[in-house]
Amino acid sequence: MEKYNRRSFLKSSTLASGGLLLSFGWLAKAQAAEKVETLDQWNQLTGYIQITPDGMIKILCPNPEFGQNVMTSLPMIVAEELDADWKNVVVEMSTHDNVKYGPQFTGGSNSVRMYWKPLRTAGAAARQMLSEAAAQTWGVPVGEITTKAGVLSHSSGKTAKYGEMATKAATIAVPKDVKLKAPKDFSIVSHSKKNAEGLKVVTGKPLFGMDYRVDGMLIAMIQHPPAFGMKLKSFDATAAKKMPGIKDIFSFKLYDDGFVQEGFDTRTFNEMIAVVGKTTWEVMNARKNLKVIWEPITDTKEIINVFRGGKTEVTVPGGLESTETQLAKMKEMAKLPAKELRKDGDPEAAFKNAATIIERTYNAPFLAHNCMEPMNFFAHVQDDKALIAGPLQAPGWMEPTLAKVLNLPADKIEIQMTRMGGGFGRRAYAQYAHEAARISQKLKAPIKLIYSREDDMTYGIYRPMYTATYRAALDANKNLIGFHVTGGGIPENPVHANRFPAGAVDNYLAESWEIPSNITIGAFRAPRSNFNAAAEQSFLDEVAEAMGKDAIELRLDLLKRAKENPVGKNNEYDAGRYIGVLELLKEKSGWGKPENAGKKRGVAAYFCHASYAGHVVDMVMRDGQPYVETVTSAVDCGVIINPDAARNMVEGAVVDGIGQSFYGALTHKDGAAEQSNFHNYRMIRHGEAPKKIDVHFVQNEIDPTGLGEPPFPPVFGAVANALFKTTGKRYYNQPFTTEQPKS
């Protein structure tokens, strides 16, 4: 990791009302002044701490919140090093500012990992400045000042609350070196705190994009083509325009011809029909009365700015795709030579000389994100400026595109972030915000764009379809001598070539292939890993069975090899941390103990997004159907910020993973999604959730490494392995409830 001079993180300023305001720049190498005289000079900052004379501490959270609780955990990090009294801390969501705050991206399990050191440094610097202010006031050495719960103390008996010293502290130069606490001394971090917005959420306070409204606001909805691979030819809105409450109906293009897309831009359908009116009900009814003619698309070219890779041209194929034909294409593609991603040793010779070869193929469908809050966005675009507001995971990434779409300078676009009713990667793709802005610009009025659940589910941005074939070579003594994975998908492959068991097998080969599609895809909680873990961990159980080994013992043996004598280079994972999770999981679940011999259990563990997680699933049959009764989970994500919230994250991942394993599937026929709402897109129900989820964390002092995604992928494999123990059949195709079991 690149190290930044601490002075690039910190600035201080005297507030007009008195008090200390300490700011920390994130990923900003701008010159930091020791004192900033006015708030107008804060043009290189991403967040701040404000201490008022009455002792209240306001901490702005720069990252969007969609339920992972960063609005509590990030301020806890600051408050810990500040030695603040948590009951006096007020937390607020910051506005978006791409210069001050950077991209403000919530995703990839990055929030705590990225902000851990900068926020600690900011808090510690503020504490040091307050201590120096007290020392100067009392005429004592600063080393004799102690802090606790927002109070400065000296052995002479003198004390002062932070607010009393805040104004003087603001005149003190930012310290060049600050001492951070040892984890053993934490009194806020690693101690559970209630969700900072919990009361607002449960009492229905307006926090979400759906809550956002202004006087004179109109409602907009979009009519998009009924199938992927189709586009607008013509429409007649005569009848719809006469309906009550309707203000306008028109077609519009999301991106102009020749538009260069950024990495997180997408345009499932570029030309659509906007219906705008007074209320959602009136707009929905009018939309039903549109008379629209659609026509097939032909192959088209798109230019995309790939992250760190420059511009690339992508062909979007024409045609109306169906799941049945997609599966057939994938099956044929899997027979052709694939792209080599990694090769260790001589895998060809290992398989040629093997006494036993195990080969299995795994498949998974498209998945819809199904956030509880469907996509929505507010926009008020005027000739010289724009205000937009709504749920976004990455406002900084969508701002350049929005500026191009509206032909406005970025500094004339104000972006307000609302709390998100779920994200899972879907809200990193902000075409719905761009659509809202286009509609507002056309009408010259404030509008809120709302997707119905059917719009949301049939509009695209799905988890891709995947397939992978795994092969293992065993010698005559049942030793694993070769490992081969070939993975493909529509339109991307799932293979992580440098993850376990790479580095643990002498002869290893990873390959991939892809099939282009006009069905748009995007990040889905632990992208690619959620399938890769399912296939890999299911396969390892079959390999263990063929070798006559216990499932956990096989994994531990391979990981010990990777730790002590790794094969090849670029192994992404830390074998020691991986081992620690499996050993904790084995202990806490009582794996292999006589008292658990009658349980139908499955295990899986996986590394992704810099953290390690594993689950043991106990399954039962109820009314002829398999159910997950209990789950034991073990996770190593470094230092835990908020234990209660961390457990909630793991529990949520477990329930989500079970539901997706059993039921999740979105299929297509002639380009049209066959599922449009929860009546035919099955989600897990309350009675199907485990009765108990027992969560354990590896205790260490490693800097936090992320938690939002890592617990999710291994759930799939653990469920598949438990199904085998419960039913006696192996399951290779997701969702498991619709597959015909295979021996």
Side-chain angles (χ1 to χ4, degrees), residues 6 10-13 20-23 34-35 82 121-136 142 152 165-166 168-175 178:
R6 196 183 37 72
L10 307 172
K11 295 180 182 179
S12 64
S13 171
L20 169 70
L21 188 146
L22 181 73
S23 301
E34 291 186 353
K35 285 201 299 180
L82 183 59
T121 303
R127 171 166 46 89
Q128 177 68 18
M129 294 160 72
L130 289 161
S131 296
E132 290 185 10
Q136 291 177 18
V142 69
L152 298 142
M165 295 293 173
K168 185 174 183 63
T171 67
I172 294 172
V174 175
V178 291

Side-chain angles (χ1 to χ4, degrees), residues 345-394:
D346 191 347
E348 293 84 0
F351 280 93
K352 182 179 179 180
N353 298 322
T356 303
I357 295 176
I358 307 163
E359 180 174 328
R360 300 290 186 268
T361 297
Y362 303 84
N363 299 294
F366 287 111
L367 293 177
H369 289 81
N370 286 326
C371 304
M372 185 63 69
E373 175 194 27
M375 301 305 109
N376 65 91
F377 220 81
F378 170 85
H380 188 189
V381 180
Q382 302 177 62
D383 290 340
D384 59 347
K385 62 181 180 180
L387 167 64
I388 68 167
L392 287 171
Q393 284 185 236

Side-chain angles (χ1 to χ4, degrees), residues 568-587:
K569 299 179 180 179
N570 302 320
N571 299 326
E572 292 184 19
Y573 59 95
D574 181 324
R577 293 182 69 188
Y578 215 141
I579 289 169
V581 162
L582 278 167
E583 289 180 338
L584 180 62
L585 186 61
K586 184 177 180 180
E587 173 198 344

Side-chain angles (χ1 to χ4, degrees), residues 27-341:
L27 297 181
K29 295 183 180 180
Q31 279 293 105
E34 291 186 353
K35 285 201 299 180
V36 180
E37 298 302 329
T38 68
L39 297 180
D40 293 338
Q41 292 175 275
W42 285 21
N43 56 2
Q44 297 293 333
L45 309 179
T46 62
Y48 59 84
I49 307 162
Q50 178 178 332
I51 303 176
T52 62
D54 62 1
M56 293 303 295
I57 300 170
K58 180 189 290 185
I59 302 175
L60 286 192
C61 178
N63 269 23
E65 170 70 75
F66 60 76
Q68 77 284 33
N69 211 15
V70 293
M71 281 196 68
T72 307
S73 57
L74 293 182
M76 284 176 67
I77 297 170
V78 179
E80 176 63 69
E81 293 291 349
L82 183 59
D83 261 346
D85 186 341
W86 182 251
K87 72 175 183 290
N88 290 332
V89 172
V90 176
V91 178
E92 290 184 5
M93 172 63 68
S94 71
T95 57
H96 170 70
D97 190 310
N98 204 29
V99 176
K100 294 179 182 177
Y101 302 105
Q104 297 177 274
F105 172 58
T106 295
S109 300
N110 273 321
S111 292
V112 171
R113 181 164 75 244
M114 290 196 306
Y115 280 92
W116 173 244
K117 287 185 178 179
L119 292 181
R120 293 185 72 193
T121 303
R127 171 166 46 89
Q128 177 68 18
M129 294 160 72
L130 289 161
S131 296
E132 290 185 10
Q136 291 177 18
T137 301
W138 297 334
V140 298
V142 69
E144 295 180 2
I145 302 296
T146 60
T147 59
K148 184 177 181 180
V151 176
L152 298 142
S153 301
H154 184 255
S155 58
S156 63
K158 293 180 179 179
T159 64
K161 294 181 179 180
Y162 281 180
E164 298 173 56
M165 295 293 173
T167 301
K168 185 174 183 63
T171 67
I172 294 172
V174 175
K176 295 180 179 179
D177 296 296
V178 291
K179 183 179 180 181
L180 301 180
K181 290 184 179 181
K184 66 180 179 62
D185 297 325
F186 288 162
S187 60
I188 295 176
V189 166
S190 299
H191 295 73
S192 292
K193 301 297 179 186
K194 291 185 181 298
N195 189 313
E197 288 197 307
L199 183 62
K200 295 178 183 177
V201 171
V202 300
T203 55
K205 294 292 188 289
L207 297 170
F208 299 90
M210 281 293 194
D211 298 324
Y212 196 96
R213 61 186 68 251
V214 301
D215 291 341
M217 181 182 78
L218 299 174
I219 298 297
M221 299 188 80
I222 285 174
Q223 184 69 42
H224 63 69
F228 298 95
M230 300 194 77
K231 64 179 182 179
L232 177 65
K233 182 177 182 180
S234 62
F235 72 100
D236 181 354
T238 304
K241 283 184 175 181
K242 295 178 181 178
M243 295 184 70
I246 300 306
K247 295 296 184 181
D248 202 356
I249 299 175
F250 55 90
S251 64
F252 71 98
K253 285 186 176 182
L254 179 58
Y255 303 139
D256 295 329
D257 295 340
F259 186 88
V260 177
Q261 299 178 53
E262 300 300 323
F264 271 73
D265 292 343
T266 186
R267 52 174 171 183
T268 301
F269 306 106
N270 194 50
E271 188 172 10
M272 294 155 285
I273 303 167
V275 182
V276 186
K278 291 182 179 179
T279 68
T280 305
W281 181 247
E282 290 170 323
V283 171
M284 290 177 73
N285 283 325
R287 190 170 63 160
K288 295 175 184 177
N289 281 273
L290 292 172
K291 296 179 180 179
V292 190
I293 298 174
W294 311 97
E295 62 181 352
I297 67 169
T298 57
D299 290 3
T300 57
K301 304 286 187 182
E302 293 191 347
I303 305 298
I304 299 176
N305 257 334
V306 180
F307 289 123
R308 305 184 184 90
K311 294 180 182 178
T312 185
E313 185 177 78
V314 175
T315 298
V316 178
L320 303 179
E321 302 179 29
S322 298
T323 299
E324 185 176 347
T325 56
Q326 288 170 331
L327 289 169
K329 283 184 179 180
M330 292 169 75
K331 191 173 182 179
E332 289 302 312
M333 191 72 174
K335 298 176 183 178
L336 302 177
K339 178 183 178 182
E340 182 181 300
L341 302 177

